[in-house]
Amino acid sequence: MNHPSRKHHEFNGPYFARTTEDELQEDVQSIRVKLENREDNPLGNSKIIANADTDEIIGVVTWHWKSKETFWLEIGIVIFNENYWGKGIATKALKKWIDQVFDSQPEIVRIGLSTWSGNVGMCKVAEKIGLKQEARYRKARIVNNEYYDSVSYGILREEWTNMP
Protein backbone atom coordinates (compact mmCIF):
# COMPACT_ATOMS: atom_id res chain seq x y z
CA MET A 1 0.00 0.00 0.00
CA ASN A 2 1.60 3.29 1.10
CA HIS A 3 4.75 1.64 2.47
CA PRO A 4 7.69 4.08 2.70
CA SER A 5 9.76 1.94 0.33
CA ARG A 6 7.26 2.02 -2.57
CA LYS A 7 8.28 3.68 -5.84
CA HIS A 8 5.26 6.02 -5.92
CA HIS A 9 6.97 8.20 -3.30
CA GLU A 10 9.43 9.31 -5.99
CA PHE A 11 6.54 11.12 -7.71
CA ASN A 12 3.91 11.80 -5.04
CA GLY A 13 5.30 14.80 -3.21
CA PRO A 14 8.91 13.58 -2.90
CA TYR A 15 9.76 16.95 -1.32
CA PHE A 16 7.68 16.01 1.77
CA ALA A 17 8.85 13.69 4.53
CA ARG A 18 7.78 10.07 3.99
CA THR A 19 5.49 8.30 6.39
CA THR A 20 7.45 5.92 8.58
CA GLU A 21 6.47 2.27 8.96
CA ASP A 22 5.31 3.02 12.52
CA GLU A 23 3.11 5.90 11.31
CA LEU A 24 1.71 3.67 8.57
CA GLN A 25 0.83 1.00 11.14
CA GLU A 26 -0.87 3.64 13.32
CA ASP A 27 -2.94 4.75 10.30
CA VAL A 28 -3.92 1.15 9.52
CA GLN A 29 -4.89 0.55 13.16
CA SER A 30 -6.96 3.74 13.23
CA ILE A 31 -8.88 2.63 10.13
CA ARG A 32 -9.33 -0.85 11.61
CA VAL A 33 -10.89 0.62 14.76
CA LYS A 34 -13.23 2.81 12.70
CA LEU A 35 -14.32 -0.23 10.67
CA GLU A 36 -14.87 -2.31 13.83
CA ASN A 37 -16.97 0.54 15.23
CA ARG A 38 -18.96 0.55 12.00
CA GLU A 39 -18.31 4.20 11.28
CA ASP A 40 -20.06 5.40 8.13
CA ASN A 41 -16.97 6.84 6.51
CA PRO A 42 -13.79 5.37 8.00
CA LEU A 43 -11.58 6.85 5.27
CA GLY A 44 -12.89 10.40 5.64
CA ASN A 45 -12.24 12.36 2.45
CA SER A 46 -10.58 9.45 0.67
CA LYS A 47 -11.60 6.42 -1.35
CA ILE A 48 -9.62 3.33 -2.16
CA ILE A 49 -8.97 2.40 -5.79
CA ALA A 50 -9.06 -1.40 -6.06
CA ASN A 51 -8.94 -4.09 -8.71
CA ALA A 52 -12.56 -5.29 -8.98
CA ASP A 53 -11.46 -8.81 -9.93
CA THR A 54 -8.90 -9.37 -7.17
CA ASP A 55 -9.74 -6.74 -4.51
CA GLU A 56 -6.07 -5.72 -4.67
CA ILE A 57 -5.55 -2.14 -3.49
CA ILE A 58 -4.20 -0.05 -6.36
CA GLY A 59 -4.29 3.43 -4.91
CA VAL A 60 -6.34 6.16 -3.32
CA VAL A 61 -8.14 9.38 -4.28
CA THR A 62 -8.49 12.20 -1.76
CA TRP A 63 -9.82 15.69 -1.27
CA HIS A 64 -9.15 18.43 1.25
CA TRP A 65 -10.31 21.99 1.65
CA LYS A 66 -8.18 24.59 -0.04
CA SER A 67 -10.63 27.31 1.02
CA LYS A 68 -13.82 26.30 2.79
CA GLU A 69 -14.95 29.92 2.72
CA THR A 70 -14.96 29.97 -1.10
CA PHE A 71 -16.02 26.32 -1.62
CA TRP A 72 -12.70 25.30 -3.18
CA LEU A 73 -11.41 21.75 -2.83
CA GLU A 74 -8.06 20.26 -3.76
CA ILE A 75 -8.05 16.65 -4.98
CA GLY A 76 -5.27 14.13 -5.25
CA ILE A 77 -4.54 10.61 -6.42
CA VAL A 78 -1.83 8.08 -5.74
CA ILE A 79 -1.41 4.80 -7.57
CA PHE A 80 0.58 2.78 -5.01
CA ASN A 81 1.23 -0.24 -7.17
CA GLU A 82 3.56 0.56 -10.06
CA ASN A 83 2.30 -2.54 -11.91
CA TYR A 84 -0.83 -0.48 -12.62
CA TRP A 85 0.99 2.61 -13.92
CA GLY A 86 0.44 3.62 -17.53
CA LYS A 87 -2.88 1.77 -17.85
CA GLY A 88 -5.22 4.78 -17.71
CA ILE A 89 -6.39 4.03 -14.17
CA ALA A 90 -5.52 7.48 -12.83
CA THR A 91 -7.46 9.12 -15.65
CA LYS A 92 -10.58 7.00 -15.05
CA ALA A 93 -10.36 7.28 -11.26
CA LEU A 94 -9.90 11.06 -11.24
CA LYS A 95 -12.84 11.58 -13.60
CA LYS A 96 -15.08 9.46 -11.36
CA TRP A 97 -13.72 11.17 -8.25
CA ILE A 98 -14.45 14.66 -9.59
CA ASP A 99 -17.96 13.53 -10.56
CA GLN A 100 -18.52 12.14 -7.05
CA VAL A 101 -17.12 15.20 -5.29
CA PHE A 102 -19.23 17.62 -7.33
CA ASP A 103 -22.34 15.40 -7.03
CA SER A 104 -22.05 14.88 -3.28
CA GLN A 105 -21.24 18.50 -2.47
CA PRO A 106 -23.40 20.84 -4.56
CA GLU A 107 -21.87 23.91 -2.89
CA ILE A 108 -18.41 23.24 -4.39
CA VAL A 109 -17.51 25.88 -6.98
CA ARG A 110 -14.06 24.71 -8.02
CA ILE A 111 -11.69 21.80 -7.69
CA GLY A 112 -7.94 22.11 -7.83
CA LEU A 113 -5.08 19.65 -8.22
CA SER A 114 -1.44 20.44 -7.49
CA THR A 115 1.68 18.54 -8.48
CA TRP A 116 5.26 19.27 -9.44
CA SER A 117 6.86 19.61 -12.86
CA GLY A 118 8.86 16.40 -12.35
CA ASN A 119 5.63 14.39 -12.23
CA VAL A 120 5.02 14.61 -15.97
CA GLY A 121 2.46 11.79 -15.89
CA MET A 122 0.24 13.61 -13.39
CA CYS A 123 0.45 16.83 -15.42
CA LYS A 124 -0.67 14.91 -18.51
CA VAL A 125 -3.55 13.25 -16.64
CA ALA A 126 -4.78 16.62 -15.29
CA GLU A 127 -4.78 18.14 -18.77
CA LYS A 128 -6.29 15.02 -20.38
CA ILE A 129 -9.35 15.15 -18.12
CA GLY A 130 -9.89 18.86 -18.78
CA LEU A 131 -8.24 20.63 -15.87
CA LYS A 132 -6.57 23.92 -16.80
CA GLN A 133 -3.10 24.89 -15.64
CA GLU A 134 -3.76 27.96 -13.51
CA ALA A 135 -0.45 28.52 -11.77
CA ARG A 136 3.19 27.57 -12.00
CA TYR A 137 5.42 28.46 -9.07
CA ARG A 138 8.95 28.38 -10.40
CA LYS A 139 11.65 26.54 -8.47
CA ALA A 140 9.25 25.83 -5.61
CA ARG A 141 10.15 22.16 -5.02
CA ILE A 142 13.48 20.48 -4.41
CA VAL A 143 13.86 16.82 -5.38
CA ASN A 144 17.26 15.12 -5.30
CA ASN A 145 18.92 18.52 -4.87
CA GLU A 146 17.31 19.86 -8.05
CA TYR A 147 14.66 22.56 -8.26
CA TYR A 148 11.28 21.90 -9.91
CA ASP A 149 8.18 24.01 -10.39
CA SER A 150 4.98 23.51 -8.42
CA VAL A 151 2.09 23.27 -10.89
CA SER A 152 -1.56 23.91 -10.03
CA TYR A 153 -4.55 22.90 -12.13
CA GLY A 154 -8.21 23.66 -11.64
CA ILE A 155 -11.69 23.34 -13.01
CA LEU A 156 -14.95 25.11 -12.24
CA ARG A 157 -18.16 23.20 -11.70
CA GLU A 158 -19.78 24.70 -14.81
CA GLU A 159 -16.77 23.76 -16.95
CA TRP A 160 -16.84 20.17 -15.68
CA THR A 161 -20.60 19.87 -16.13
CA ASN A 162 -20.45 21.20 -19.70
CA MET A 163 -17.60 18.97 -20.90
CA PRO A 164 -18.49 16.49 -23.64
Side-chain angles (χ1 to χ4, degrees):
M1 203 164 106
N2 198 24
H3 193 274
S5 66
R6 295 303 295 259
K7 189 169 178 59
H8 73 271
H9 289 291
E10 295 175 20
F11 298 97
N12 182 41
Y15 31 83
F16 296 128
R18 290 188 187 185
T19 304
T20 66
E21 285 192 51
D22 288 343
E23 291 168 331
L24 179 59
Q25 289 305 317
E26 288 174 18
D27 290 346
V28 169
Q29 182 58 31
S30 172
I31 293 169
R32 182 176 286 124
V33 168
K34 290 175 182 178
L35 287 169
E36 289 169 353
N37 291 335
R38 299 184 187 275
E39 287 190 24
D40 285 340
N41 191 5
L43 296 178
N45 302 335
S46 303
K47 286 205 178 196
I48 297 290
I49 303 166
N51 182 319
D53 298 325
T54 65
D55 288 337
E56 179 181 15
I57 293 175
I58 297 171
V60 65
V61 287
T62 62
W63 71 262
H64 67 270
W65 286 109
K66 187 77 170 181
S67 172
K68 199 170 188 175
E69 298 77 14
T70 60
F71 307 107
W72 172 11
L73 294 180
E74 189 89 353
I75 60 169
I77 186 169
V78 181
I79 305 297
F80 301 132
N81 188 332
E82 57 270 15
N83 294 326
Y84 289 93
W85 292 359
K87 298 184 185 308
I89 292 169
T91 301
K92 290 177 190 172
L94 270 181
K95 280 182 175 181
K96 286 183 179 184
W97 188 231
I98 292 172
D99 282 340
Q100 287 181 15
V101 169
F102 275 139
D103 288 347
S104 67
Q105 299 183 72
E107 73 278 11
I108 300 304
V109 173
R110 61 172 289 114
I111 290 178
L113 181 148
S114 296
T115 189
W116 60 295
S117 58
N119 192 346
V120 176
M122 188 72 257
C123 293
K124 286 180 180 179
V125 167
E127 292 170 7
K128 184 176 182 177
I129 66 172
L131 276 66
K132 309 288 184 242
Q133 187 180 129
E134 297 178 324
R136 179 176 284 267
Y137 304 97
R138 297 173 297 151
K139 291 188 173 184
R141 302 295 188 199
I142 299 174
V143 179
N144 297 325
N145 297 316
E146 188 175 335
Y147 277 97
Y148 291 87
D149 298 346
S150 177
V151 187
S152 294
Y153 294 88
I155 194 151
L156 303 176
R157 176 185 291 278
E158 61 266 22
E159 294 169 333
W160 185 258
T161 304
N162 292 325
M163 278 201 311

